[in-house]
Amino acid sequence: MKKSNTIIKKISFALTLTAVALFTFNCSVDTTEMAADGKIKRIMEETGAVGLAVAVVKDGEIIFSNTYGYKNLETKEAIAEDDLFRIASISKSFTTTALMTLVEQGKLSLDDDVSDLAGFAVRNPEYPDKVITLKMLLSHTSSLSDSQGYFELDVLNPETNPDYAKCYNDYEPGSQYEYCNLGFNTIGAIVEKYSEERFDNFIRKTILDPMNLYANFNPDSLDRDKFVTLYSYNEADSAAGTEAGFTPSPAAYASRSEIIENDYVHGYSTPVFSPTGGMKISARGLAAYMAMHMNHGTDPVTGTQIISEESARLMQTPVIDRGEGETYCLALRTTENLIEGEVMTGHTGSAYGLFSAMFFQPEKKIGIVMMTNGCKPEYKDGFTLIQGEVIRALYETFKD
């Protein structure tokens, strides 16, 4: 009987220790998350943000995510974790990831002449003998500019635009950096042409479906009730009292159905999906996608390989120096201006009042995603205040 009682006491003691350990762990987790929430809310107040969604990835897992503020200022509806933002230029990495699958299949090479791929001459008229390659478009070193716009390839096509030469800068292709959306919309058209599938469908097939992500470049393929309203900010409107200076931007989610049904030309009309900035996705969805790139092309959750390790590393390899601790890779950039002493890899986005950011530290296997649907934009070191402060706050909170 005494032996039985001793065993029972030992089991009871062990269970007590386990309960204490679990309680301590949960308190620690709760305290960390509360600290993160407190920091985020203060940043939102400082920047006048309408709404915000964030997520943190560590060692391949989403360890924290939350939403704050309003999905819609007029209705005061809160943002849900599965609500969708148009994330702007972070979209470029999705387009490039899809492109890399075609490179791996041997259908394309990064050294290919864009003129041959696009079906019309893509040549800087001041350097007609200098080939403009896919790699140049991907790294913003092609000498192309957005001076003529970028939502139609007609502006670049010498057969449709007499002023096509204005699409080029006056330096040799490959020699300098200038951010260019036209280049990435051209890449999207090439992806569509050589995949032999409509651009939005190919992105879904190669990236979104294999990773079980609810997202798309085509707004008509998604539940519109999930779209987070984007708000542009104008100081003059703020002074006039116009909803604190914020104006809705419905064009961010404008339907593409009419042109797809009536006037769509495969491999040419692709910019209607905005391969340069049109992805709609949640913060958690983007974090899962980021985790795949952090894991060098393989989804750490499903084990599905989206692109090869070689392709993933190539996308993260600097091509050109942008100055001030910044380089540009292939649809990704590196920066020393976010976290002191760290080189972070990722991208930002800004359009229609939205500001987004996706950055990770490859060696330490930590990454952060943030997206706001509107704020008072202030800039520092190449980032808006809200982008930089949110990334820094979450990194410092969850790095250990």
Side-chain angles (χ1 to χ4, degrees), residues 44-50 231 233-235 238 244-246 353 355 372 374-379 384-386:
M44 288 187 69
E45 289 178 5
E46 293 171 5
T47 58
V50 177
Y231 293 90
Y233 178 78
N234 185 287
E235 190 71 42
S238 178
F246 291 104
F355 292 96
T372 177
C375 68
K376 300 174 183 177
E378 298 178 43
Y379 292 87
T384 58
L385 187 63
I386 193 168

Side-chain angles (χ1 to χ4, degrees), residues 39-248:
K39 292 176 182 178
I40 295 299
K41 289 172 183 176
R42 284 194 295 273
I43 294 168
M44 288 187 69
E45 289 178 5
E46 293 171 5
T47 58
V50 177
L52 182 72
V54 301
V56 179
V57 170
K58 196 168 185 182
D59 296 323
E61 296 182 5
I62 298 174
I63 61 169
F64 175 76
S65 65
N66 208 350
T67 62
Y68 309 85
Y70 298 124
K71 175 179 181 175
N72 186 292
L73 265 176
E74 290 70 39
T75 65
K76 299 298 187 286
E77 181 182 358
I79 302 172
E81 286 209 342
D82 61 347
D83 280 338
L84 309 174
F85 292 71
R86 177 171 175 152
I87 60 171
S89 286
I90 300 175
S91 307
K92 290 176 171 65
S93 69
F94 284 84
T95 298
T96 304
T97 300
L99 174 74
M100 297 308 290
T101 68
L102 298 175
V103 171
E104 291 171 14
Q105 294 169 27
K107 294 182 178 181
L108 295 171
S109 165
L110 296 185
D111 296 321
D112 282 346
D113 185 337
V114 174
S115 295
D116 295 337
L117 302 177
F120 57 86
V122 181
R123 282 286 197 280
N124 188 320
E126 294 192 26
Y127 300 90
D129 297 326
K130 180 68 175 180
V131 171
I132 293 176
T133 67
L134 271 179
K135 186 175 183 179
M136 291 179 188
L137 294 185
L138 290 164
S139 57
H140 298 295
T141 59
S142 67
S143 79
L144 280 173
S145 79
D146 290 332
S147 63
Q148 295 288 289
Y150 53 87
F151 281 114
E152 293 182 352
L153 294 190
D154 279 351
V155 301
L156 183 59
N157 189 342
E159 299 173 10
T160 56
N161 182 15
D163 292 326
Y164 79 94
K166 293 180 179 179
C167 292
Y168 296 89
N169 292 308
D170 61 357
Y171 54 79
E172 182 177 353
S175 67
Q176 296 185 42
Y177 170 92
E178 181 175 306
Y179 197 83
C180 181
N181 291 300
L182 178 59
F184 270 86
N185 277 345
T186 303
I187 291 169
I190 291 168
V191 167
E192 181 172 87
K193 183 177 180 179
Y194 285 85
S195 68
E196 300 181 348
E197 295 186 51
R198 204 175 70 197
F199 176 77
D200 59 319
N201 293 332
F202 188 64
I203 296 290
R204 187 180 68 244
K205 174 183 174 182
T206 55
I207 304 171
L208 304 177
D209 283 354
M211 295 189 66
N212 299 316
L213 297 177
Y214 185 72
N216 211 293
F217 278 88
N218 184 355
D220 302 310
S221 68
L222 299 166
D223 180 358
R224 287 186 169 272
D225 288 339
K226 295 292 184 185
F227 292 159
V228 176
T229 305
L230 305 186
Y231 293 90
S232 58
Y233 178 78
N234 185 287
E235 190 71 42
D237 289 341
S238 178
T242 308
E243 193 63 57
F246 291 104
T247 303

